[in-house]
Amino acid sequence: MPARGSLPLSKTRRRAFRLGLQSWRQTPLPKTPSSLVPKTFSLRVRLEETGDMYRLPSCHADTTVRELKEELDLIAGIPFHFQRLLYLDQGILMDDSTLGFHDFVPGGIISMCLWHQDGWQELALAAMEGDASKISCLGVTEDSLYRTAHSLHLKAEKFKTWIADRAFVALYIASHRGHVEAVRFLLENGASCLAKTPVGRTALHVAAAMGRLYCIDLLLEHGASFFEKDLKGESPLDVARRLKRF
């Protein structure tokens, strides 16, 4: 039955209507003019293991995934080489690809996952919690009984290097989160405040990035330097000023 107040459509008019509707469905939506796409936009990053959200405010179409990860090294406190970034269903994003290549939407959410092999994910999560007793059981001191399938095959010197790397990663993450007691435990048990991530950053860089004053004091007491520069030429002081922490 036709709706009240309307006239029944003739067969010709019904056919024309259907053809018009079909044509409308097949017509692609107009693209947003490039002049209307913001040149600078923000993205959000969700750390999947914890649900923590981080905001990256100054992104561009030609920003590379590597540049995102370098900034997340500071903002999220996860060392560059332990990050795995994913967007929608595109799989792990390659470092040299750009945001424009992946059609990132301003305000969109990127997923970040931790490198889980060789016990690194477990260690990172313990450092985020700041539980020194849990961290101490995860291979951060030379007398630790903690082993992984990989570490069982390491000779003496390489095993020491593996332990030192784990202690530094725990120190880096704990310093970012402001877990003073965990930072104290790690420093007193040999973690190096002079070690660096692949981006050239020390634990003091991330402590300064977040304004963690007590952790900064501890790191300085153990020989950290406010003038040590990363690969981008930024010292902890430069980072703190850029992020307006002091």
Side-chain angles (χ1 to χ4, degrees), residues 160-182:
K160 287 183 179 180
T161 299
W162 184 77
I163 289 289
D165 288 344
R166 293 179 67 82
F168 166 66
V169 168
L171 178 66
Y172 195 84
I173 296 172
S175 298
H176 173 270
R177 298 288 174 124
H179 295 311
V180 178
E181 293 309 314

Side-chain angles (χ1 to χ4, degrees), residues 32-81:
T32 303
S34 58
S35 60
L36 298 181
V37 177
K39 293 183 179 179
T40 301
F41 56 91
S42 65
L43 292 171
R44 291 172 293 167
V45 179
R46 178 174 57 229
L47 181 55
E48 294 299 328
E49 285 82 357
T50 64
D52 291 350
M53 295 288 290
Y54 306 96
R55 182 172 175 269
L56 297 172
S58 301
C59 301
H60 306 268
D62 59 353
T63 299
T64 65
V65 171
R66 179 183 176 88
E67 288 170 331
L68 285 188
K69 291 169 72 173
E70 288 176 353
E71 193 64 8
L72 285 167
D73 191 288
L74 284 176
I75 303 302
I78 305 298
F80 171 87
H81 54 314

Side-chain angles (χ1 to χ4, degrees), residues 108-123:
I109 298 178
I110 305 171
S111 294
M112 178 167 65
C113 300
L114 298 170
W115 181 256
H116 65 277
Q117 296 180 0
D118 203 26
W120 289 105
Q121 182 189 62
E122 187 179 12
L123 178 64

